[in-house]
Amino acid sequence: MTKQGHDTPSTDNGPSNFIRDIIDKDFASGKHDSVVTRFPPEPNGYLHIGHAKSICLNFGLARDYKGRCHLRFDDTNPAKEETEYVDSIRNDVRWLGFDWGENMFFASDYFAKLHDYAVQLIKMGKAYVDSLSPEEIREYRGTLTSPGKNSPYRDRSIEENLTLFEGMKKGEFDEGTHILRAKIDMASPNVIMRDPALYRIKKVHHHRTGDDWCIYPMYDFAHCLSDGIEGVTHSICTLEFENNRELYDWVLDTLGISPRPHQYEMARLNLSHTIVSKRKLLRLVQEKKVTGWDDPRMPTLSGIRRRGYPPEAIRMFCDRIGVARSDNWVEFGQLEACVRECLNASSPRVMGVVNPVKVVITNYPEDQTEEFTFPYSPEDDSMGSRQVPFSREFYIEREDFMENPPKKFFRLGIGREVRLRYAYYVTCTDVVKDDNGEIMEIHCTYDPETRGGWSKDGRKVKGTLHWVSAKHALDVEVRLYDHLFATDKPEAVEEGGDFFDNLNPESLKVITAKVEPSLADAEPGMRVQFERIGYFCVDSKDSLPGKPIFNRTATLKDSWAKLQKKTEN
Ligand code: ATP
Ligand code: MG
């Protein structure tokens, strides 16, 4: 650990980025001696992979600088918020591997304080009650190129403002009749600074404060003050809020909040072939394009968890994409590469045949069954092993057989010899077909001298196939998932189009696979690699005892990258 300046915590743990540089400077200059960050979700939907970037960054900074990160629910907009979302968000942050300790807060906890700050601004002559209609307010605001003009109510006396604001709070007025605005500058080149709204009337039940309030603070007022109340030092948001920073600073400086937090903006995560907007994800759920927020095709944390993505893969991904100041797109393949990297090392290898065709060994005794010991990992002995039964009839993948294979096809063909993983060498003699010419059965002979899958005479074979004994096979439902959207930027639609048009019609294929019997008691959530096929996870919702359902987490290789190469050439 290298020490920088005075007693500065090390940043060796995380990849460097511009926010870490700022923190390092703040430590070096003595501006701060600890880091307090926050992750501030609005509980109006489930968290998605974009949020993971923010979680990993904020909690990661707190971890590496030995500070703290608050989980704060930004619940200032009562109409859209639900307790279900609060619970799911807590669950998802924990699953990602982060802990807020005692620091879980709700912006609604501060409603009384925020109200007092608003009163303070009125008393300072820095806020007023406006009674223009919403349409008039829009008209008076001006445009990006022309200044706004002052509301006729702007110069109300402090007394009158206090009385009206009190009346708003007591529920004496209808929604939309009055709002509280900051008195800043209607000619500001930054439109956000043109007397922004601070409080509006909303006669709506709140998930935590019930019917206590009928005025609710606006995001720009509540957020900076919540940061201030909690002693946040570095308040990180996405680039869309760059123009709001001036207001963030104005509110805190005008009210003399000290020490005062600072806002920093970073690029949001945009991921190809999917969508990271709660509003749009909600539409997918409501219009039943997916089975729910946790549909394994969804980019939500609950969806990718159910799909089988391990949390360490998400953290690895967030570290790798880094934190930058300008917006960019990240290929979904990058996320999958992290998933494969984690699963390759950690998931036991088992045998499952997803597109089965039957093989019969004509010289193998009819009633005989043998058991072979299969290690769960070729490299890691600590993963243990299990017994796998072998018999005269078994299944292999249809793709692993060709009647008249070309030279470079190293799998099974008539007259060809291959290895059955850990079992025997077999040679194909002939096939049985149905009336349509489809292969029903492949006939082979086996060499009893090759038990265990190797030949004493040093005879080499090029292909090794996975297999599942027919009479021991377990029939299981397998859900083959693919990208939810067929285009890389699904939100890019033509005039009058809808992003639904870009949904991938092939995003889910349900098949029945033959898998080895050891998987009968595979626990929900268990992740395995079907040898040579891909990574799968036992579905945590629909599986029944003894009847696991397998979700395909990822293929072994990035077939989309290959496809793209092909179309480019
Ligand atoms: P959405 O557009 O999906 O509703 P949001 O920004 O409104 O997202 P919030 O609940 O307000 O959702 O977000 C909580 C935190 O997560 C914020 O600090 C926000 O900046 C961050 N965040 C949200 N989406 C992304 C993203 N795609 N990339 C990085 N950070 C994100
Ligand atoms: Mg938001």
Side-chain angles (χ1 to χ4, degrees):
M1 265 197 193
T2 48
K3 293 221 169 193
Q4 304 148 324
H6 54 1
D7 198 18
T8 307
S10 165
T11 63
D12 291 354
N13 293 327
S16 90
N17 57 51
F18 79 94
I19 294 189
R20 284 175 189 265
D21 294 345
I22 290 168
I23 295 175
D24 289 340
K25 261 195 218 129
D26 289 346
F27 275 116
S29 71
K31 181 172 167 187
H32 292 297
D33 56 10
S34 71
V35 169
V36 183
T37 55
R38 85 290 170 265
F39 172 63
E42 187 181 347
N44 62 349
Y46 281 60
L47 296 183
H48 52 62
I49 185 77
H51 293 114
K53 176 177 177 179
S54 175
I55 295 169
C56 290
L57 175 64
N58 282 297
F59 281 94
L61 289 171
R63 174 195 62 212
D64 297 344
Y65 286 92
K66 313 221 172 349
R68 55 181 210 270
C69 179
H70 297 181
L71 173 62
R72 183 200 314 142
F73 291 97
D74 202 337
D75 58 349
T76 51
N77 193 6
K80 292 191 287 178
E81 291 151 4
E82 285 178 34
T83 312
E84 174 198 346
Y85 297 137
V86 170
D87 295 340
S88 76
I89 290 169
R90 287 158 47 100
N91 194 23
D92 287 348
V93 174
R94 275 212 199 92
W95 174 73
L96 260 190
F98 297 105
D99 185 2
W100 51 88
E102 297 176 341
N103 301 301
M104 183 179 80
F105 304 105
F106 290 83
S108 56
D109 293 340
Y110 312 137
F111 279 170
K113 278 188 187 153
L114 296 174
H115 168 264
D116 293 348
Y117 280 128
V119 169
Q120 197 180 325
L121 285 179
I122 296 173
K123 288 182 177 163
M124 294 167 78
K126 297 284 186 187
Y128 63 98
V129 173
D130 198 357
S131 310
L132 290 178
S133 69
E135 298 77 48
E136 287 167 324
I137 289 179
R138 222 169 295 132
E139 272 166 41
Y140 276 64
R141 188 175 295 133
T143 66
L144 285 175
T145 48
S146 63
K149 56 180 184 184
N150 289 350
S151 161
Y153 303 102
R154 199 174 195 260
D155 293 319
R156 276 176 166 153
S157 69
I158 288 175
E159 281 319 307
E160 191 183 359
N161 281 319
L162 287 173
T163 310
L164 283 171
F165 189 50
E166 182 66 14
M168 283 169 66
K169 183 183 164 219
K170 284 192 177 144
E172 288 167 10
F173 308 117
D174 289 338
E175 288 185 18
T177 54
H178 303 285
I179 61 165
L180 184 73
R181 300 178 74 172
K183 197 188 245 186
I184 306 180
D185 178 8
M186 288 305 291
S188 171
N190 181 355
V191 180
I192 287 173
M193 296 300 280
R194 295 181 188 169
D195 291 6
L198 303 180
Y199 263 95
R200 67 230 193 270
I201 300 171
K202 261 199 169 189
K203 301 196 168 168
V204 185
H205 188 84
H206 186 279
H207 76 121
R208 297 192 86 233
T209 57
D211 297 315
D212 290 355
W213 295 87
C214 58
I215 52 171
Y216 289 95
M218 303 299 289
Y219 171 87
D220 280 321
F221 185 64
H223 196 84
C224 54
L225 286 169
S226 303
D227 284 347
I229 292 167
E230 292 176 16
V232 166
T233 55
H234 300 79
S235 178
I236 302 159
C237 61
T238 45
L239 281 170
E240 314 90 86
F241 290 93
E242 199 167 1
N243 289 336
N244 301 58
R245 192 193 330 131
E246 198 178 344
L247 178 54
Y248 185 100
D249 292 344
W250 183 91
V251 172
L252 294 176
D253 290 338
T254 305
L255 288 166
I257 306 292
S258 170
R260 102 141 166 78
H262 283 266
Q263 174 183 306
Y264 301 96
E265 305 90 25
M266 61 155 180
R268 60 187 287 118
L269 168 65
N270 296 307
L271 193 61
S272 77
H273 296 98
T274 192
I275 271 176
V276 280
S277 151
K278 277 182 284 186
R279 193 171 46 80
K280 289 181 180 164
L281 294 175
L282 178 65
R283 265 194 69 200
L284 289 170
V285 174
Q286 285 175 336
E287 297 179 39
K288 302 214 168 7
K289 301 293 176 190
V290 293
T291 56
W293 284 100
D294 64 352
D295 186 302
R297 291 166 293 183
M298 289 281 268
T300 50
L301 297 185
S302 49
I304 61 187
R305 171 168 62 239
R306 193 169 160 202
R307 174 95 169 242
Y309 286 21
E312 56 272 24
I314 313 299
R315 295 196 300 266
M316 179 192 279
F317 172 70
C318 291
D319 276 354
R320 284 193 187 163
I321 56 172
V323 180
R325 261 197 187 116
S326 54
D327 271 320
N328 63 344
W329 279 81
V330 177
E331 277 298 318
F332 202 95
Q334 283 197 47
L335 173 58
E336 283 195 315
C338 296
V339 170
R340 289 189 187 100
E341 208 172 310
C342 290
L343 291 180
N344 182 44
S346 66
S347 55
R349 290 179 197 196
V350 295
M351 293 203 292
V353 176
V354 293
N355 185 16
V357 61
K358 194 182 256 184
V359 182
V360 180
I361 307 182
T362 48
N363 61 340
Y364 192 91
E366 296 239 1
D367 308 323
Q368 185 170 310
T369 294
E370 291 178 75
E371 295 224 312
F372 291 103
T373 305
F374 273 49
Y376 277 120
S377 160
E379 285 120 29
D380 182 359
D381 290 342
S382 72
M383 288 177 79
S385 61
R386 79 287 184 196
Q387 298 295 108
V388 178
F390 181 80
S391 62
R392 179 181 158 96
E393 298 189 357
F394 55 90
Y395 295 102
I396 63 168
E397 300 290 342
R398 230 166 236 286
E399 293 76 23
D400 281 341
F401 179 81
M402 273 177 94
E403 219 176 333
N404 299 302
K407 243 193 151 150
K408 286 223 160 132
F409 184 83
F410 296 128
R411 291 165 270 169
L412 197 57
I414 294 179
R416 300 266 178 111
E417 186 171 50
V418 295
R419 172 190 295 113
L420 299 176
R421 171 75 94 206
Y422 298 124
Y424 288 108
Y425 283 15
V426 291
T427 305
C428 176
T429 50
D430 60 292
V431 294
V432 179
K433 293 184 185 174
D434 69 6
D435 295 344
N436 303 320
E438 174 137 17
I439 294 170
M440 301 301 292
E441 223 171 74
I442 298 165
H443 290 174
C444 289
T445 55
Y446 85 119
D447 177 357
E449 294 300 308
T450 55
R451 193 170 196 281
W454 59 281
S455 158
K456 287 174 198 149
D457 64 12
R459 192 165 88 245
K460 294 245 167 29
V461 287
K462 286 233 164 90
T464 299
L465 308 188
H466 62 279
W467 50 270
V468 173
S469 167
K471 68 177 167 207
H472 303 95
L474 198 65
D475 281 342
V476 295
E477 178 176 329
V478 171
R479 298 172 179 174
L480 299 171
Y481 291 109
D482 205 334
H483 287 318
L484 184 52
F485 290 93
T487 56
D488 58 350
K489 292 180 182 161
E491 279 153 302
V493 286
E494 312 227 315
E495 271 284 304
D498 184 37
F499 69 95
F500 278 11
D501 303 341
N502 294 326
L503 280 163
N504 176 10
E506 316 251 302
S507 62
L508 170 60
K509 246 188 259 158
V510 180
I511 58 158
T512 302
K514 305 277 183 188
V515 302
E516 60 170 83
S518 73
L519 291 171
D521 8 273
E523 297 278 333
M526 180 184 179
R527 304 184 187 98
V528 294
Q529 180 190 138
F530 286 177
E531 287 210 33
R532 303 175 63 232
I533 297 293
Y535 299 102
F536 292 80
C537 177
V538 180
D539 191 77
S540 47
K541 219 170 181 176
D542 300 336
S543 297
L544 295 172
K547 267 196 155 305
I549 293 174
F550 287 87
N551 295 328
R552 181 167 71 195
T553 309
T555 51
L556 287 185
K557 292 205 182 90
D558 188 349
S559 48
W560 281 73
K562 251 192 271 161
L563 259 181
Q564 206 150 0
K565 274 234 173 81
K566 250 190 221 160
T567 46
E568 276 164 14
N569 287 340

